[in-house]
Amino acid sequence: MDATKIGKRIQDTRKARGLTQSDLAAKVDITPKYLSNIECGDKVPKFETFVAIANALEVDANTLLVDVLHVSSAIISTEISQKLSALSPAEQRRLKRVLDVMIEEASGQR
């Protein structure tokens, strides 16, 4: 398991949520130093701590493990769905049209 990749994903997600290390550490009931060690890949959190981090960041565990799991297509689909849900309905429809064209081209239907 690549602790550095997991730590980087946690850090990126934390920053995207606008949280400091102190904020997230307080939510998870760990020290900011321990969280820093996790984000740097120096420490691998216990399962319970990892789940608490995912819950505090409001993401599924797969999102944090995407770089280290071999079932990446399902994870990528989840990540895309999460990003799409943040868009307005008009933006979602526009992206769907683009994807429809790309999928048609990829499958040779055009």
Side-chain angles (χ1 to χ4, degrees):
M1 175 170 52
D2 191 335
T4 303
K5 287 181 179 180
I6 295 169
K8 178 75 171 118
R9 181 68 64 168
I10 290 170
Q11 180 183 57
D12 291 346
T13 306
R14 173 182 59 76
K15 287 180 178 180
R17 300 284 189 268
L19 298 171
T20 65
Q21 283 184 336
S22 294
D23 294 335
L24 180 56
K27 287 181 175 224
V28 180
D29 197 26
I30 58 175
T31 66
K33 178 66 177 165
Y34 182 52
L35 179 59
S36 175
N37 287 333
I38 291 169
E39 289 185 352
C40 291
D42 295 335
K43 300 275 184 180
V44 176
K46 294 186 300 185
F47 176 74
E48 294 82 7
T49 303
F50 178 78
V51 171
I53 290 170
N55 285 333
L57 292 172
E58 298 179 352
V59 297
D60 63 272
N62 288 343
T63 299
L64 300 177
L65 296 172
V66 70
D67 297 321
V68 297
L69 291 177
H70 297 290
V71 290
S72 62
S73 63
I75 296 168
I76 291 169
S77 295
T78 299
E79 201 172 81
I80 291 169
S81 293
Q82 289 173 340
K83 289 179 180 182
L84 284 173
S85 68
L87 299 175
S88 72
E91 291 169 322
Q92 289 178 17
R93 285 189 297 276
R94 194 168 110 228
L95 277 175
K96 183 185 178 306
R97 287 192 305 268
V98 170
L99 284 173
D100 287 343
V101 169
M102 292 176 72
I103 290 169
E104 285 177 17
E105 287 178 358
S107 64
Q109 293 180 358
R110 276 197 152 193

XYZ file of all heavy atoms in Angstrom:
843
model
N 0.851 -1.170 0.000
C 0.000 0.000 0.000
C 0.898 1.235 0.000
O 1.882 1.287 0.715
C -0.917 -0.018 1.221
C -1.744 1.215 1.345
S -3.037 1.160 2.590
C -2.181 0.650 4.031
N 0.546 2.223 -0.787
C 1.322 3.437 -0.896
C 0.728 4.516 0.012
O -0.220 5.216 -0.352
C 1.345 3.903 -2.347
C 2.335 5.014 -2.590
O 2.666 5.745 -1.630
O 2.783 5.158 -3.733
N 1.290 4.637 1.206
C 0.786 5.592 2.192
C 0.907 7.028 1.705
O 0.095 7.886 2.063
C 1.530 5.413 3.513
N 1.902 7.298 0.872
C 2.095 8.655 0.361
C 0.925 9.076 -0.521
O 0.429 10.207 -0.422
C 3.416 8.753 -0.422
O 4.489 8.351 0.435
C 3.665 10.157 -0.918
N 0.469 8.169 -1.383
C -0.660 8.486 -2.264
C -1.942 8.694 -1.458
O -2.718 9.603 -1.748
C -0.865 7.385 -3.299
C 0.193 7.371 -4.367
C -0.061 6.291 -5.386
C 0.995 6.298 -6.467
N 0.767 5.242 -7.471
N -2.161 7.856 -0.465
C -3.357 7.990 0.371
C -3.297 9.304 1.140
O -4.273 10.056 1.196
C -3.496 6.794 1.336
C -3.730 5.510 0.535
C -4.632 7.031 2.333
C -3.620 4.250 1.356
N -2.145 9.609 1.711
C -1.980 10.850 2.445
C -2.208 12.072 1.574
O -2.861 13.042 1.984
N -1.690 12.025 0.353
C -1.876 13.142 -0.578
C -3.346 13.311 -0.928
O -3.858 14.428 -1.011
C -1.047 12.895 -1.845
C -1.194 13.946 -2.906
C -0.443 15.208 -2.562
C -0.426 16.158 -3.739
N -1.083 17.411 -3.475
N -4.054 12.207 -1.123
C -5.483 12.279 -1.435
C -6.254 12.872 -0.253
O -7.153 13.686 -0.445
C -5.993 10.875 -1.784
C -7.436 10.770 -2.153
C -7.790 11.415 -3.431
N -7.128 10.763 -4.538
C -7.414 10.965 -5.796
N -8.386 11.796 -6.109
N -6.761 10.368 -6.742
N -5.898 12.475 0.962
C -6.539 13.044 2.156
C -6.271 14.545 2.210
O -7.190 15.346 2.413
C -6.048 12.340 3.444
C -6.588 10.903 3.498
C -6.452 13.130 4.698
C -5.973 10.042 4.590
N -5.021 14.922 1.990
C -4.656 16.341 2.028
C -5.403 17.144 0.963
O -5.955 18.214 1.248
C -3.150 16.489 1.811
C -2.669 17.927 1.841
C -1.188 18.027 1.541
O -0.734 17.567 0.491
N -0.442 18.600 2.468
N -5.437 16.626 -0.260
C -6.132 17.325 -1.349
C -7.618 17.498 -1.037
O -8.199 18.558 -1.275
C -5.968 16.574 -2.668
C -4.548 16.621 -3.207
O -3.735 17.447 -2.729
O -4.237 15.817 -4.119
N -8.226 16.449 -0.498
C -9.653 16.500 -0.168
C -9.895 17.474 0.974
O -10.851 18.253 0.948
C -10.172 15.096 0.185
O -9.863 14.196 -0.880
C -11.673 15.107 0.414
N -9.024 17.431 1.968
C -9.150 18.365 3.104
C -9.082 19.811 2.619
O -9.917 20.647 2.989
C -8.033 18.103 4.124
C -7.985 19.136 5.241
C -6.840 18.894 6.213
N -5.519 18.903 5.629
C -4.846 20.006 5.247
N -5.388 21.197 5.380
N -3.626 19.897 4.749
N -8.104 20.095 1.770
C -7.951 21.455 1.260
C -9.149 21.863 0.394
O -9.605 23.006 0.458
C -6.652 21.584 0.467
C -5.422 21.583 1.357
C -4.151 21.706 0.540
C -2.925 21.764 1.430
N -1.686 21.883 0.631
N -9.653 20.921 -0.405
C -10.820 21.214 -1.242
C -12.047 21.542 -0.390
O -12.923 22.295 -0.826
C -11.122 20.030 -2.162
N -12.090 20.996 0.819
C -13.202 21.262 1.739
C -12.972 22.537 2.550
O -13.791 22.910 3.375
C -13.397 20.092 2.712
C -13.720 18.760 2.070
C -15.154 18.706 1.603
N -15.541 17.391 1.182
C -15.463 16.937 -0.070
N -15.009 17.710 -1.011
N -15.854 15.719 -0.376
N -11.811 23.171 2.354
C -11.503 24.399 3.069
C -11.154 24.184 4.528
O -11.338 25.077 5.355
N -10.641 23.000 4.848
C -10.286 22.682 6.227
C -8.780 22.777 6.438
O -7.999 22.402 5.559
C -10.735 21.264 6.586
C -12.218 20.959 6.548
C -12.462 19.460 6.717
C -12.937 21.736 7.637
N -8.387 23.255 7.607
C -6.985 23.204 7.990
C -6.711 21.832 8.596
O -7.648 21.089 8.925
C -6.647 24.284 9.029
O -7.368 23.985 10.233
C -6.994 25.686 8.516
N -5.424 21.530 8.789
C -5.098 20.279 9.467
C -5.690 20.280 10.875
O -6.196 19.253 11.331
C -3.586 20.067 9.525
C -2.997 19.612 8.217
C -1.513 19.326 8.315
O -0.823 19.848 9.182
N -1.014 18.509 7.399
N -5.653 21.415 11.533
C -6.210 21.505 12.892
C -7.713 21.242 12.891
O -8.229 20.550 13.772
C -5.926 22.875 13.502
O -4.548 23.038 13.697
N -8.417 21.786 11.879
C -9.866 21.569 11.777
C -10.179 20.082 11.640
O -11.020 19.539 12.362
C -10.452 22.288 10.552
C -10.375 23.802 10.625
O -10.330 24.346 11.744
O -10.375 24.428 9.544
N -9.514 19.433 10.673
C -9.793 18.018 10.420
C -9.366 17.159 11.610
O -10.099 16.256 12.016
C -9.099 17.543 9.141
C -9.315 16.080 8.764
C -10.800 15.753 8.631
C -8.571 15.743 7.477
N -8.214 17.462 12.183
C -7.742 16.691 13.337
C -8.749 16.763 14.485
O -9.028 15.752 15.136
C -6.373 17.205 13.780
N -9.310 17.950 14.710
C -10.301 18.100 15.780
C -11.547 17.277 15.494
O -12.105 16.643 16.398
C -10.665 19.575 15.951
N -11.983 17.249 14.236
C -13.174 16.465 13.868
C -12.943 14.975 14.071
O -13.869 14.227 14.357
C -13.545 16.718 12.403
C -14.159 18.058 12.141
C -14.510 18.183 10.659
C -15.234 19.464 10.390
N -16.369 19.312 9.521
N -11.703 14.532 13.859
C -11.377 13.106 13.919
C -10.856 12.707 15.299
O -10.717 11.532 15.590
C -10.339 12.766 12.813
C -9.950 11.308 12.819
C -10.878 13.149 11.442
N -10.596 13.707 16.147
C -10.065 13.490 17.489
C -8.665 12.882 17.454
O -8.373 11.896 18.135
C -11.024 12.628 18.324
C -10.724 12.731 19.824
O -10.183 13.757 20.250
O -11.018 11.755 20.547
N -7.809 13.473 16.613
C -6.392 13.118 16.571
C -5.612 14.431 16.629
O -6.186 15.513 16.499
C -6.005 12.324 15.296
C -6.331 13.118 14.026
C -6.691 10.953 15.291
C -5.868 12.435 12.731
N -4.312 14.345 16.817
C -3.511 15.568 16.869
C -3.210 16.056 15.448
O -3.123 15.241 14.514
C -2.174 15.336 17.603
O -1.368 14.440 16.830
C -2.400 14.794 19.004
N -3.043 17.358 15.290
C -2.651 17.875 13.975
C -1.329 17.275 13.498
O -1.147 17.033 12.304
C -2.525 19.386 14.201
C -3.444 19.673 15.340
C -3.342 18.454 16.230
N -0.414 16.999 14.414
C 0.876 16.389 14.046
C 0.669 14.989 13.459
O 1.289 14.624 12.459
C 1.804 16.330 15.280
C 3.132 15.681 15.013
C 3.969 16.483 14.048
C 5.323 15.831 13.855
N 6.033 16.349 12.707
N -0.217 14.206 14.072
C -0.494 12.862 13.557
C -1.132 12.957 12.173
O -0.764 12.217 11.256
C -1.389 12.092 14.526
C -1.686 10.678 14.106
C -0.668 9.793 13.758
C -2.989 10.208 14.049
C -0.944 8.493 13.360
C -3.275 8.907 13.664
C -2.247 8.061 13.322
O -2.521 6.779 12.927
N -2.056 13.902 11.997
C -2.666 14.095 10.685
C -1.608 14.502 9.666
O -1.606 14.008 8.540
C -3.784 15.137 10.739
C -4.462 15.432 9.401
C -5.091 14.179 8.794
C -5.495 16.527 9.554
N -0.701 15.365 10.058
C 0.390 15.770 9.170
C 1.219 14.559 8.756
O 1.571 14.404 7.580
C 1.288 16.792 9.866
O 2.400 17.108 9.059
N 1.510 13.681 9.708
C 2.265 12.458 9.399
C 1.507 11.553 8.431
O 2.112 10.927 7.563
C 2.600 11.693 10.680
C 3.680 12.364 11.491
O 4.532 13.074 10.956
N 3.655 12.162 12.795
N 0.192 11.493 8.575
C -0.634 10.696 7.663
C -0.581 11.308 6.263
O -0.358 10.622 5.270
C -2.093 10.607 8.165
C -2.174 9.766 9.440
C -3.004 10.023 7.077
C -3.526 9.835 10.146
N -0.778 12.628 6.192
C -0.798 13.299 4.893
C 0.552 13.221 4.185
O 0.600 13.193 2.955
C -1.226 14.764 5.058
C -2.684 14.914 5.402
C -3.166 16.349 5.465
O -2.330 17.281 5.389
O -4.389 16.542 5.585
N 1.631 13.185 4.950
C 2.971 13.071 4.343
C 3.317 11.625 3.974
O 4.315 11.380 3.297
C 4.026 13.606 5.307
S 3.947 15.376 5.542
N 2.486 10.691 4.422
C 2.754 9.281 4.135
C 3.706 8.638 5.117
O 4.145 7.505 4.923
N 4.027 9.349 6.194
C 4.938 8.809 7.206
C 4.242 7.819 8.130
O 4.889 6.956 8.721
C 5.541 9.937 8.055
C 6.424 10.856 7.225
O 6.947 10.417 6.184
O 6.574 12.036 7.617
N 2.929 7.968 8.278
C 2.141 7.078 9.143
C 0.945 6.557 8.367
O 0.373 7.256 7.541
C 1.613 7.825 10.375
C 2.647 8.423 11.270
C 3.158 7.422 12.250
C 4.141 8.116 13.193
N 4.688 7.234 14.160
N 0.576 5.325 8.639
C -0.634 4.732 8.074
C -1.665 4.689 9.204
O -1.401 4.092 10.255
C -0.374 3.305 7.539
C -1.656 2.674 7.054
C 0.674 3.333 6.439
N -2.802 5.341 9.007
C -3.786 5.369 10.102
C -4.423 4.009 10.330
O -4.523 3.190 9.415
C -4.832 6.372 9.612
C -4.733 6.327 8.126
C -3.279 6.050 7.824
N -4.839 3.788 11.573
C -5.623 2.590 11.871
C -6.914 2.676 11.064
O -7.348 3.759 10.661
C -5.968 2.506 13.363
C -4.792 2.304 14.265
C -5.215 2.090 15.702
C -5.998 3.277 16.219
N -6.352 3.204 17.631
N -7.541 1.540 10.856
C -8.771 1.496 10.076
C -9.813 2.459 10.623
O -10.436 3.210 9.873
C -9.325 0.060 10.049
C -10.638 -0.057 9.334
C -10.696 0.021 7.950
C -11.821 -0.226 10.035
C -11.899 -0.071 7.281
C -13.031 -0.327 9.380
C -13.067 -0.256 7.993
N -10.001 2.462 11.934
C -10.999 3.325 12.556
C -10.695 4.797 12.287
O -11.601 5.594 12.039
C -11.073 3.079 14.067
C -11.590 1.713 14.445
C -10.511 0.623 14.389
O -9.307 0.925 14.191
O -10.890 -0.555 14.517
N -9.424 5.158 12.332
C -9.030 6.545 12.073
C -9.265 6.897 10.615
O -9.756 7.981 10.298
C -7.551 6.763 12.451
O -7.360 6.407 13.825
C -7.124 8.203 12.223
N -8.942 5.970 9.724
C -9.162 6.204 8.298
C -10.648 6.440 8.021
O -11.011 7.369 7.293
C -8.650 5.016 7.478
C -8.883 5.174 6.009
C -8.072 5.993 5.243
C -9.931 4.514 5.395
C -8.292 6.158 3.883
C -10.167 4.670 4.038
C -9.340 5.492 3.278
N -11.502 5.623 8.600
C -12.951 5.780 8.419
C -13.411 7.116 8.994
O -14.218 7.827 8.380
C -13.723 4.598 9.048
C -15.219 4.865 9.070
C -13.426 3.309 8.285
N -12.887 7.496 10.147
C -13.253 8.778 10.758
C -12.823 9.940 9.866
O -13.561 10.925 9.715
C -12.617 8.899 12.142
N -11.655 9.824 9.237
C -11.188 10.868 8.314
C -12.125 10.953 7.116
O -12.543 12.043 6.716
C -9.728 10.604 7.878
C -8.773 10.844 9.046
C -9.351 11.470 6.676
C -7.338 10.381 8.802
N -12.459 9.818 6.536
C -13.371 9.806 5.380
C -14.717 10.422 5.751
O -15.267 11.229 5.001
C -13.555 8.377 4.857
N -15.236 10.066 6.913
C -16.517 10.622 7.359
C -16.420 12.126 7.595
O -17.318 12.878 7.208
C -17.004 9.918 8.620
C -17.554 8.542 8.332
O -18.035 8.268 7.240
N -17.474 7.656 9.303
N -15.335 12.561 8.210
C -15.168 13.991 8.475
C -15.036 14.780 7.175
O -15.490 15.921 7.087
C -13.941 14.215 9.361
N -14.419 14.167 6.172
C -14.271 14.825 4.866
C -15.510 14.644 3.994
O -15.598 15.209 2.904
C -13.042 14.274 4.134
C -11.697 14.617 4.760
C -10.573 13.855 4.046
C -11.447 16.115 4.719
N -16.443 13.820 4.471
C -17.679 13.527 3.748
C -17.405 12.944 2.355
O -17.989 13.356 1.356
C -18.569 14.769 3.659
C -19.001 15.271 5.023
C -19.863 16.523 4.967
O -20.016 17.116 3.881
O -20.386 16.899 6.023
N -16.490 11.965 2.320
C -16.190 11.234 1.088
C -16.185 9.741 1.403
O -15.997 9.344 2.553
C -14.817 11.621 0.473
C -14.784 13.070 0.074
C -13.673 11.295 1.401
N -16.402 8.946 0.373
C -16.320 7.506 0.598
C -14.851 7.091 0.608
O -13.983 7.785 0.067
C -17.120 6.728 -0.455
C -16.579 6.937 -1.844
O -17.001 7.905 -2.505
O -15.723 6.140 -2.262
N -14.582 5.976 1.231
C -13.205 5.490 1.357
C -12.558 5.272 -0.001
O -11.361 5.510 -0.166
C -13.192 4.203 2.178
N -13.333 4.821 -0.985
C -12.779 4.593 -2.317
C -12.167 5.851 -2.908
O -11.170 5.791 -3.617
C -13.852 4.058 -3.265
C -14.234 2.643 -2.953
O -13.531 1.925 -2.252
N -15.380 2.219 -3.449
N -12.752 6.987 -2.629
C -12.216 8.249 -3.137
C -10.816 8.488 -2.584
O -9.934 8.948 -3.305
C -13.145 9.416 -2.759
O -14.418 9.188 -3.366
C -12.604 10.747 -3.225
N -10.608 8.148 -1.337
C -9.296 8.341 -0.731
C -8.303 7.255 -1.129
O -7.096 7.466 -1.067
C -9.421 8.390 0.801
C -10.303 9.513 1.352
C -10.406 9.406 2.867
C -9.772 10.877 0.932
N -8.814 6.121 -1.572
C -7.952 4.994 -1.950
C -7.785 4.839 -3.461
O -7.148 3.900 -3.910
C -8.523 3.688 -1.374
C -8.565 3.595 0.141
C -9.339 2.351 0.569
C -7.166 3.584 0.720
N -8.329 5.753 -4.243
C -8.375 5.596 -5.693
C -7.006 5.317 -6.305
O -6.903 4.582 -7.276
C -9.058 6.815 -6.362
C -8.196 8.056 -6.266
C -9.404 6.526 -7.804
N -5.960 5.880 -5.744
C -4.628 5.699 -6.316
C -4.000 4.348 -5.997
O -2.988 3.992 -6.579
C -3.693 6.804 -5.820
C -4.143 8.179 -6.273
O -4.594 8.302 -7.424
O -4.052 9.128 -5.476
N -4.582 3.620 -5.059
C -3.962 2.369 -4.635
C -4.834 1.134 -4.877
O -4.370 0.015 -4.696
C -3.537 2.415 -3.147
C -2.476 3.477 -2.928
C -4.717 2.643 -2.235
N -6.081 1.334 -5.287
C -6.965 0.197 -5.550
C -6.885 -0.229 -7.005
O -6.686 0.591 -7.895
C -8.421 0.554 -5.213
C -8.756 0.748 -3.749
C -10.207 1.161 -3.594
C -8.489 -0.511 -2.953
N -7.082 -1.491 -7.237
C -7.053 -2.020 -8.597
C -8.407 -1.950 -9.279
O -8.506 -2.199 -10.469
C -6.554 -3.470 -8.592
C -5.148 -3.583 -8.090
N -4.067 -3.124 -8.785
C -4.670 -4.073 -6.929
C -2.970 -3.335 -8.103
N -3.308 -3.919 -6.963
N -9.444 -1.621 -8.560
C -10.782 -1.509 -9.130
C -11.083 -0.053 -9.462
O -12.114 0.490 -9.124
C -11.862 -2.085 -8.170
C -11.758 -3.584 -8.071
C -11.763 -1.452 -6.797
N -10.147 0.553 -10.156
C -10.200 1.994 -10.350
C -11.347 2.471 -11.232
O -11.802 3.591 -11.091
C -8.879 2.505 -10.897
O -8.620 1.922 -12.155
N -11.851 1.655 -12.154
C -12.919 2.155 -13.023
C -14.181 2.483 -12.226
O -14.829 3.496 -12.478
C -13.231 1.163 -14.148
O -13.703 -0.051 -13.618
N -14.513 1.669 -11.237
C -15.677 1.967 -10.403
C -15.419 3.207 -9.560
O -16.303 4.041 -9.357
C -16.002 0.782 -9.502
N -14.209 3.348 -9.100
C -13.850 4.505 -8.293
C -13.887 5.766 -9.137
O -14.390 6.802 -8.707
C -12.462 4.304 -7.655
C -12.513 3.131 -6.686
C -11.993 5.564 -6.951
C -11.161 2.667 -6.221
N -13.364 5.669 -10.340
C -13.375 6.825 -11.238
C -14.806 7.225 -11.541
O -15.136 8.419 -11.556
C -12.581 6.528 -12.520
C -11.090 6.428 -12.182
C -12.818 7.590 -13.580
C -10.222 5.888 -13.301
N -15.684 6.262 -11.753
C -17.092 6.567 -12.000
C -17.707 7.310 -10.818
O -18.460 8.269 -10.995
C -17.884 5.288 -12.263
O -17.446 4.680 -13.449
N -17.373 6.876 -9.618
C -17.872 7.536 -8.420
C -17.354 8.965 -8.340
O -18.105 9.895 -8.034
C -17.448 6.759 -7.160
O -17.992 5.449 -7.220
C -17.913 7.443 -5.885
N -16.081 9.127 -8.635
C -15.475 10.460 -8.594
C -16.129 11.387 -9.619
O -16.429 12.539 -9.331
C -13.975 10.328 -8.870
C -13.152 11.475 -8.385
C -11.676 11.166 -8.516
O -11.136 11.313 -9.624
O -11.060 10.802 -7.495
N -16.379 10.871 -10.811
C -17.040 11.666 -11.850
C -18.448 12.040 -11.400
O -18.869 13.185 -11.554
C -17.061 10.909 -13.194
C -15.653 10.812 -13.769
C -18.002 11.587 -14.192
C -15.517 9.869 -14.955
N -19.171 11.088 -10.837
C -20.527 11.363 -10.358
C -20.536 12.455 -9.303
O -21.403 13.331 -9.311
C -21.156 10.099 -9.777
O -21.357 9.155 -10.783
N -19.568 12.409 -8.394
C -19.492 13.428 -7.351
C -19.244 14.804 -7.953
O -19.855 15.789 -7.549
C -18.394 13.088 -6.354
C -18.724 11.918 -5.474
C -17.553 11.491 -4.605
O -16.404 11.797 -4.875
N -17.859 10.750 -3.549
N -18.362 14.865 -8.927
C -18.060 16.143 -9.565
C -19.270 16.657 -10.348
O -19.571 17.850 -10.330
C -16.839 16.022 -10.469
C -15.554 15.864 -9.688
C -14.356 15.716 -10.597
C -13.095 15.557 -9.755
N -11.897 15.454 -10.563
N -19.961 15.753 -11.032
C -21.139 16.157 -11.793
C -22.247 16.684 -10.890
O -22.933 17.638 -11.238
C -21.671 14.977 -12.621
C -20.893 14.621 -13.872
C -21.431 13.331 -14.478
C -20.934 15.741 -14.880
N -22.410 16.056 -9.745
C -23.491 16.475 -8.846
C -23.280 17.894 -8.318
O -24.227 18.548 -7.894
C -23.652 15.492 -7.693
O -22.535 15.536 -6.842
N -22.052 18.367 -8.355
C -21.770 19.727 -7.892
C -22.098 20.783 -8.949
O -22.125 21.970 -8.646
C -20.300 19.840 -7.496
N -22.362 20.347 -10.179
C -22.654 21.273 -11.275
C -24.142 21.584 -11.353
O -24.978 20.827 -10.872
C -22.192 20.674 -12.608
C -20.704 20.364 -12.740
C -20.445 19.669 -14.068
C -19.868 21.619 -12.609
N -24.453 22.679 -12.011
C -25.858 23.029 -12.229
C -26.471 22.040 -13.219
O -25.745 21.405 -13.993
C -25.963 24.448 -12.794
O -25.511 24.469 -14.139
N -27.796 21.911 -13.238
C -28.438 21.018 -14.201
C -28.068 21.352 -15.658
O -27.852 20.447 -16.465
C -29.932 21.217 -13.946
C -30.002 21.595 -12.501
C -28.773 22.438 -12.273
N -27.962 22.617 -15.980
C -27.600 23.001 -17.353
C -26.181 22.546 -17.689
O -25.934 22.027 -18.789
C -27.726 24.519 -17.525
N -25.253 22.704 -16.743
C -23.880 22.249 -16.969
C -23.825 20.727 -17.090
O -23.069 20.187 -17.889
C -22.972 22.726 -15.835
C -22.753 24.221 -15.822
C -22.070 24.690 -14.548
O -22.378 24.157 -13.450
O -21.217 25.602 -14.644
N -24.630 20.038 -16.293
C -24.674 18.579 -16.363
C -25.153 18.113 -17.732
O -24.587 17.198 -18.325
C -25.590 18.016 -15.270
C -25.027 18.140 -13.877
C -25.974 17.609 -12.825
O -26.912 16.878 -13.109
N -25.726 17.981 -11.572
N -26.216 18.758 -18.262
C -26.733 18.380 -19.586
C -25.689 18.631 -20.668
O -25.507 17.819 -21.571
C -28.024 19.142 -19.889
C -29.245 18.622 -19.132
C -30.547 19.250 -19.625
N -30.583 20.694 -19.412
C -30.951 21.275 -18.278
N -31.304 20.545 -17.235
N -30.973 22.602 -18.167
N -24.972 19.754 -20.567
C -23.950 20.077 -21.550
C -22.830 19.030 -21.536
O -22.405 18.549 -22.586
C -23.383 21.474 -21.263
C -22.578 22.012 -22.416
C -22.282 23.496 -22.236
N -20.866 23.604 -21.973
C -20.302 24.296 -21.002
N -21.045 24.994 -20.176
N -19.012 24.332 -20.860
N -22.386 18.651 -20.366
C -21.346 17.635 -20.265
C -21.841 16.273 -20.741
O -21.080 15.507 -21.335
C -20.826 17.537 -18.835
C -19.778 18.564 -18.469
C -19.411 18.465 -16.999
C -18.534 18.404 -19.312
N -23.102 15.972 -20.493
C -23.656 14.696 -20.967
C -23.619 14.633 -22.487
O -23.281 13.603 -23.068
C -25.073 14.481 -20.459
C -25.633 13.115 -20.899
C -27.057 12.940 -20.500
C -27.624 11.625 -20.971
N -27.503 11.355 -22.394
N -23.950 15.736 -23.145
C -23.899 15.761 -24.612
C -22.469 15.515 -25.107
O -22.258 14.760 -26.058
C -24.444 17.088 -25.151
C -25.954 17.224 -25.029
C -26.522 18.406 -25.822
N -25.910 19.677 -25.500
C -26.340 20.538 -24.573
N -27.417 20.246 -23.869
N -25.721 21.682 -24.356
N -21.514 16.132 -24.452
C -20.104 15.933 -24.828
C -19.715 14.470 -24.629
O -19.098 13.851 -25.500
C -19.186 16.866 -24.010
C -17.722 16.497 -24.213
C -19.426 18.321 -24.382
N -20.088 13.905 -23.497
C -19.772 12.499 -23.224
C -20.450 11.562 -24.222
O -19.847 10.582 -24.665
C -20.185 12.124 -21.800
C -19.277 12.624 -20.692
C -19.894 12.327 -19.324
C -17.903 12.010 -20.795
N -21.698 11.860 -24.572
C -22.409 11.029 -25.551
C -21.639 10.972 -26.870
O -21.474 9.900 -27.454
C -23.830 11.544 -25.784
C -24.763 11.259 -24.619
O -24.425 10.402 -23.769
O -25.831 11.905 -24.554
N -21.154 12.124 -27.320
C -20.393 12.176 -28.578
C -19.094 11.379 -28.437
O -18.734 10.581 -29.316
C -20.104 13.628 -28.987
C -19.097 13.697 -30.114
C -21.403 14.335 -29.383
N -18.403 11.569 -27.334
C -17.129 10.859 -27.125
C -17.334 9.353 -27.061
O -16.548 8.573 -27.623
C -16.450 11.360 -25.849
C -15.952 12.797 -25.965
S -15.259 13.417 -24.416
C -13.739 12.477 -24.357
N -18.397 8.924 -26.395
C -18.662 7.480 -26.280
C -19.040 6.904 -27.643
O -18.596 5.817 -28.003
C -19.757 7.227 -25.217
C -19.191 7.534 -23.823
C -20.285 5.800 -25.291
C -20.233 7.592 -22.724
N -19.848 7.636 -28.395
C -20.200 7.169 -29.749
C -18.951 7.012 -30.595
O -18.808 6.016 -31.303
C -21.164 8.150 -30.402
C -22.579 8.078 -29.885
C -23.483 9.132 -30.514
O -23.110 9.696 -31.557
O -24.551 9.394 -29.945
N -18.058 7.985 -30.546
C -16.833 7.913 -31.330
C -15.949 6.758 -30.880
O -15.362 6.070 -31.696
C -16.070 9.239 -31.236
C -16.723 10.360 -32.026
C -15.975 11.676 -31.883
O -14.971 11.744 -31.138
O -16.414 12.649 -32.524
N -15.859 6.546 -29.577
C -15.030 5.475 -29.049
C -15.550 4.094 -29.417
O -14.790 3.154 -29.633
C -14.917 5.597 -27.525
N -16.861 3.977 -29.528
C -17.438 2.672 -29.851
C -17.639 2.480 -31.346
O -18.188 1.480 -31.778
C -18.751 2.480 -29.088
O -19.712 3.443 -29.507
N -17.212 3.479 -32.141
C -17.287 3.336 -33.591
C -18.675 3.489 -34.187
O -18.944 3.029 -35.285
N -19.588 4.134 -33.472
C -20.960 4.268 -33.957
C -21.103 5.432 -34.920
O -22.132 5.584 -35.525
C -21.916 4.457 -32.772
C -21.996 3.218 -31.903
C -22.931 3.412 -30.736
O -23.501 4.479 -30.533
N -23.100 2.371 -29.933
N -20.103 6.255 -35.070
C -20.222 7.407 -35.970
C -19.581 7.128 -37.279
O -18.671 6.501 -37.524
C -19.563 8.622 -35.338
C -20.528 9.277 -34.405
C -20.059 10.681 -34.105
N -21.290 11.411 -33.822
C -21.374 12.685 -33.760
N -20.340 13.428 -33.975
N -22.492 13.273 -33.471
